[in-house]
Amino acid sequence: MKISITEEVSTVKIIDVDLPYFYKHDLMTQYGDSVIYGRIEETLHTSIQETLNFDGSVTYEIEKEDHDSIKNTGLASYFKSQYSSNQNEFEQVKERCLIFLNGF
């Protein structure tokens, strides 16, 4: 008997990236809609996760990670075009987060 199987082959692709690089990752959690906005710099990664909960509330999670070099992190998937964002989107969520944190 013969059967067909599908094999996937991973390839390494070298790309030019301008830093800082901005990305956006849309998620859906069990609590609501969530988007992670990120800024990748050569030695620093900053992310802000904004979640719009099903009950109407909004929550934020902020992370900053220092790196010796961005090449040695697990962030490579964010350099795909589907995650591309810009500084304006990152600054807007940062502003919303600051307003949230200051209780306005």
Side-chain angles (χ1 to χ4, degrees):
M1 173 166 67
K2 293 185 180 191
I3 61 171
S4 297
I5 61 170
T6 303
E7 292 183 354
E8 293 182 32
V9 178
S10 296
T11 59
V12 174
K13 182 178 175 182
I14 296 175
I15 59 172
D16 287 321
V17 177
D18 292 325
L19 298 178
Y21 177 83
F22 297 92
Y23 70 88
K24 176 171 77 170
H25 187 170
D26 293 321
L27 307 168
M28 179 170 269
T29 69
Q30 63 185 11
Y31 305 108
D33 294 322
S34 189
V35 179
I36 300 172
Y37 296 86
R39 178 176 59 206
I40 300 172
E41 300 171 75
E42 189 167 324
T43 59
L44 180 67
H45 170 231
T46 305
S47 66
I48 301 171
Q49 182 171 345
E50 180 180 52
T51 302
L52 305 172
N53 298 301
F54 291 133
D55 66 2
S57 64
V58 179
T59 58
Y60 292 89
E61 292 180 38
I62 305 165
E63 288 188 33
K64 276 192 166 186
E65 297 177 279
D66 292 323
H67 301 288
D68 292 337
S69 170
I70 205 65
K71 293 179 203 174
N72 300 323
T73 68
L75 298 170
S77 65
Y78 286 123
F79 292 101
K80 295 178 182 174
S81 62
Q82 71 194 59
Y83 298 111
S84 182
S85 185
N86 58 56
Q87 184 174 358
N88 186 46
E89 281 188 316
F90 185 84
E91 293 298 328
Q92 286 178 357
V93 74
K94 180 179 164 185
E95 183 65 27
R96 290 192 301 270
C97 182
L98 290 172
I99 290 169
F100 175 83
L101 292 173
N102 290 315
F104 295 110

